[in-house]
Each structure stands twice: as structure tokens, then as C-alpha cells.
Amino acid sequence: MIKIFPVLKHINFPSMLTTTGLLMGALTAWLLMHRQDDLRWAVLALFFCGVLDLADGLAASKLGKITEFGKQVDSLVDFFTCCIMPIIIVHQFFYENAFVIGAVAIYAICGLWRLANFNITPQSVDKDGKKYFIGLPVPGAMMVVTMVFWFLQNYDGPQWVMGIAFLFLAFMMISFIKLRKYGAWQWIIWAVGCAFVVFVLVV
């Protein structure tokens, strides 16, 4: 089989998690365009794109399956789910707000730059030998975008809040801040994310 389809030699459990994230992103796009009367499932699908990104990285690390192929696939999927999907959200729901349109453009550019820089920059290690990220990872930014979008749409919040969120997250992605890999901040996101999922399902 591998002789016929050579790419299959790169496929493993973490890369399949990443690929599932792409499918969830495609599902999100369809739901946003065809199920605007009930955004619950679109929001959950998009949010789980971020969850899958955290999960595939953790799985690759724990299973010793960190590969160059996995790194490239992860970045490509991240660009679609975390940079393109917010543009679709703005196109569908904020298309008349020039501030939000400009803000999401800056967000997408910063997300692209962050992903490219991550791929060419060696993993940073602190004095304790722990790995850390420079700037907010793109999936983390997208998960925040998802939560802000949900609350604005369900509670009629002002649209400019979406624009401020895009700008803030854009600069956080390309900033100098150091975030420890698998540090407390990621577990906080997991906890807040779980609470958010329960809230969306119940409300």
C-alpha cells in the first residue's frame, strides 16, 4: 500500500487527530453558512478544532511521534481553522463593520506569520530544560475568538468588541511573551473550554 501511496508512511495517530481537526473546520464552515439560525453546533465544532490541536501535540509528544510531516500538516490545518475560519465568521456576521473587517485581516496576517515563524524557529528551552512558546499559539487565539463570537451573537453585544478581540489576539500571537509548553495556562484554557462547552450545550 505504501508503495502506491508513499505519503501513508507518515500517517500516525497524532497526524490523524490533526486531520480530524481539518474535517471539523470544514464542518464548521458548512454550519456557519447553512445553519445560521442555530450557531450552537458551528461554535462547538470550531472550538473542538482548537481542542484537537492541543490533543495532537500532546499525543505526538507522549508517543514520541513528533515528525516534520506532522509539523507541516499541523500548521496547514491551523491556518485553515484558526485564520481562515474567523474570516468566514466575519463575512457571515460582521460584513458591514469596517473595523471588524480590518481587525480580522490583521489577525489572519499575524496568525500566518506566527505559524511560519514557529516552523523555522528551533524550540525554545528555558533554564529548567522546559520548552516554551514565544507568543500566544494560534489555536489558543482561535478558541478565545470562538467564545467571544458566541457571547456577542447570543447576547447582542456591540460588534466593536469582536474587532478589539481580533486585534488583541493578533498582537499576542506575534508578541515576545513566553508561555511554557503544557504549562498552567494551557490547563486553564482546558478548564475554561470545558465550562464553555457545557454552557453552550445547556443554554
Side-chain angles (χ1 to χ4, degrees):
M1 197 71 170
I2 291 179
K3 289 183 178 180
I4 301 174
F5 304 107
V7 72
L8 294 179
K9 67 176 180 280
H10 300 294
I11 305 303
N12 53 36
F13 178 66
S15 67
M16 289 306 298
L17 285 178
T18 306
T19 303
T20 303
L22 174 66
L23 296 177
M24 293 295 288
L27 173 62
T28 301
W30 187 86
L31 290 169
L32 285 171
M33 290 185 282
H34 298 286
R35 291 290 186 270
Q36 293 187 14
D37 55 328
D38 185 4
L39 293 174
R40 184 188 317 270
W41 303 112
V43 166
L44 288 176
L46 183 58
F47 190 81
F48 275 111
C49 290
V51 173
L52 285 167
D53 183 82
L54 293 174
D56 66 12
L58 183 60
S61 178
K62 296 297 184 182
L63 297 175
K65 297 291 185 180
I66 298 176
T67 65
E68 188 61 30
F69 176 85
K71 188 175 183 179
Q72 298 304 322
V73 170
D74 186 67
S75 288
L76 290 169
V77 172
D78 282 353
F79 182 70
F80 174 66
T81 59
C82 304
C83 298
I84 300 301
M85 290 307 305
I87 294 175
I88 295 176
I89 288 175
V90 170
H91 177 266
Q92 293 296 113
F93 299 94
F94 303 95
Y95 57 88
E96 294 182 344
N97 192 308
F99 173 59
V100 179
I101 292 172
V104 77
I106 294 172
Y107 170 92
I109 291 170
C110 290
L112 173 66
W113 289 351
R114 177 146 191 341
L115 289 168
N117 184 62
F118 179 77
N119 278 359
I120 65 172
T121 304
Q123 280 284 334
S124 300
V125 182
D126 61 19
K127 295 179 180 179
D128 298 328
K130 300 290 186 179
K131 295 180 180 179
Y132 60 87
F133 299 108
I134 301 295
L136 178 67
V138 178
M142 185 271 291
M143 292 170 80
V144 175
V145 164
T146 304
M147 289 187 280
V148 173
F149 169 65
W150 169 257
F151 286 110
L152 287 180
Q153 290 300 114
N154 280 273
Y155 299 100
D156 297 320
Q159 291 194 352
W160 59 263
V161 173
M162 193 80 250
I164 293 296
F166 278 132
L167 290 177
F168 173 74
L169 293 166
F171 297 131
M172 286 291 287
M173 286 189 290
I174 61 171
S175 70
F176 62 88
I177 63 169
K178 293 182 180 181
L179 296 170
R180 180 166 290 184
K181 193 172 184 179
Y182 307 124
W185 68 275
Q186 283 183 301
W187 302 117
I188 291 173
I189 288 181
W190 276 99
V192 173
C194 289
F196 174 71
V197 169
V198 171
F199 183 82
V200 171
L201 288 172
V202 172
V203 173

